[in-house]
Amino acid sequence: MSERKPLMVGNWKMNASHLEAIQMVQKLAYRLETEDYQRAEVVVAPAFTALRSVQLTIEQDHMLIGLAAQDCHWEESGAFTGEVSAPMLAKLACRYVIVGHSERRRMFGETDEIVNKKARAVLANGMSPIICVGETLEEREAGDAEQVVTSQVKAAMSRLDQPGEVVVAYEPVWAIGTGRNALPDDAGLMAEIIRDKIREAHGSDVADRVRILYGGSVNPGNIKDFMAKKHIDGALVGGASLDPDQFAAIVRYWR
Ligand code: 13P
């Protein structure tokens, strides 16, 4: 079985101007030490308008923090007013692009098919998609969580050239921004189910390599319990990642 390096991603969502974003990444870097980066890959996902500034700050200060975008379009270029393409993000040295976040599925009508197209565009441009999946409260209460999540994973990962480069983030919709995190046992079980599904579709090498993150009200107080789960390889953090002290404490959960 391959070693999966823990991955901690701060999804800043629609927060922070580029000036604020520069300060946030500087504060985060100030709080982290070499050993933290050895133990975990640390990534921030600012808004599009802050990517260039954060990229330059990271490069100038030789920070070991990685950069992610929060979304992209699936076409390389063209008449898509307001959209940003994967090649544009690759040029900004993004390592990752979040695709299919539940906020985009719910508020902007993103379907499994669109998520799959975006994942393919991200891979084609040398970056890794962070594919978000997760059930709503109604789906969980109806006993459909497993079926919903596995079908999202299957659809998002169908016909990918490099499925082993993908990151999957399990984010139950009811746990996002609510302060009500999933039980670590439940999240750990869902991560295992996701890995089994990937094994079934793409084989053991891919399944052992793909990192599966948990997201939904992660904070410094609960991260350790999630990271103790065999199939959870990191976290996608929203609210708590806006505070460099809190996000640094999440990265350093093992201390
Ligand atoms: P919160 O950590 O604010 O619940 O957000 C989770 C999330 O949506 C990360 O993508």
Side-chain angles (χ1 to χ4, degrees):
M1 187 189 272
S2 62
E3 271 296 302
R4 295 185 296 269
K5 187 169 189 178
L7 172 61
M8 299 297 190
V9 183
N11 175 10
W12 293 354
K13 306 191 179 182
M14 197 175 73
N15 295 289
S17 68
H18 73 288
L19 298 172
E20 291 162 336
I22 291 168
Q23 288 192 338
M24 282 160 68
V25 75
Q26 281 172 334
K27 283 182 185 163
L28 178 61
Y30 184 76
R31 282 156 180 76
L32 297 176
E33 294 168 13
T34 310
E35 194 181 352
D36 299 319
Y37 299 109
Q38 285 164 352
R39 285 185 176 247
E41 185 178 353
V42 184
V43 170
V44 295
F48 288 134
T49 48
L51 283 174
R52 177 64 173 162
S53 310
V54 173
Q55 178 208 2
L56 291 178
T57 306
I58 286 172
E59 283 177 8
Q60 279 159 9
D61 294 354
H62 307 288
M63 293 175 186
L64 295 170
I65 296 170
L67 198 56
Q70 297 176 16
D71 186 28
C72 73
H73 196 272
W74 59 87
E75 293 289 348
E76 299 235 320
S77 63
F80 301 97
T81 301
E83 293 294 318
V84 171
S85 73
M88 294 171 183
L89 298 172
K91 283 273 188 240
L92 288 164
C94 287
R95 279 186 215 162
Y96 299 93
V97 181
I98 298 171
V99 297
H101 193 281
S102 68
E103 286 151 15
R104 298 212 57 85
R105 291 181 191 255
R106 194 160 42 88
M107 294 187 264
F108 303 100
E110 270 184 29
T111 61
D112 282 336
E113 192 193 347
I114 291 175
V115 175
N116 177 245
K117 285 203 270 188
K118 290 183 174 186
R120 273 191 267 162
V122 171
L123 287 169
N125 285 279
M127 302 173 289
S128 288
I130 299 174
I131 296 170
C132 301
V133 297
E135 81 286 357
T136 63
L137 190 57
E138 298 73 56
E139 289 162 343
R140 173 155 287 264
E141 284 173 348
D144 294 338
E146 184 178 327
Q147 190 273 324
V148 167
V149 168
T150 53
S151 89
Q152 286 174 339
V153 170
K154 183 170 177 239
M157 290 187 69
S158 83
R159 291 173 294 125
L160 298 184
D161 287 338
Q162 305 131 288
E165 300 304 312
V166 160
V167 175
V168 175
Y170 170 56
E171 299 204 304
V173 177
W174 47 272
I176 295 176
T178 57
R180 184 184 159 197
N181 58 273
L183 295 175
D185 280 348
D186 290 345
L189 180 61
M190 191 63 91
E192 183 173 1
I193 289 167
I194 291 169
R195 199 175 306 285
D196 286 345
K197 190 77 195 171
I198 295 172
R199 196 179 311 280
E200 197 183 297
H202 304 279
S204 278
D205 286 354
V206 171
D208 290 340
R209 185 177 156 82
V210 166
R211 284 176 295 181
I212 301 175
L213 315 182
Y214 167 74
S217 299
V218 169
N219 63 45
N222 61 28
I223 183 66
K224 216 172 177 166
D225 294 335
F226 289 109
M227 294 307 290
K229 300 296 166 193
K230 184 173 170 209
H231 293 281
I232 296 182
D233 308 309
L236 183 54
V237 185
S241 74
L242 297 174
D243 177 341
D245 281 322
Q246 284 202 36
F247 190 49
I250 289 168
V251 171
R252 311 172 76 164
Y253 72 94
W254 48 274
R255 281 171 184 263

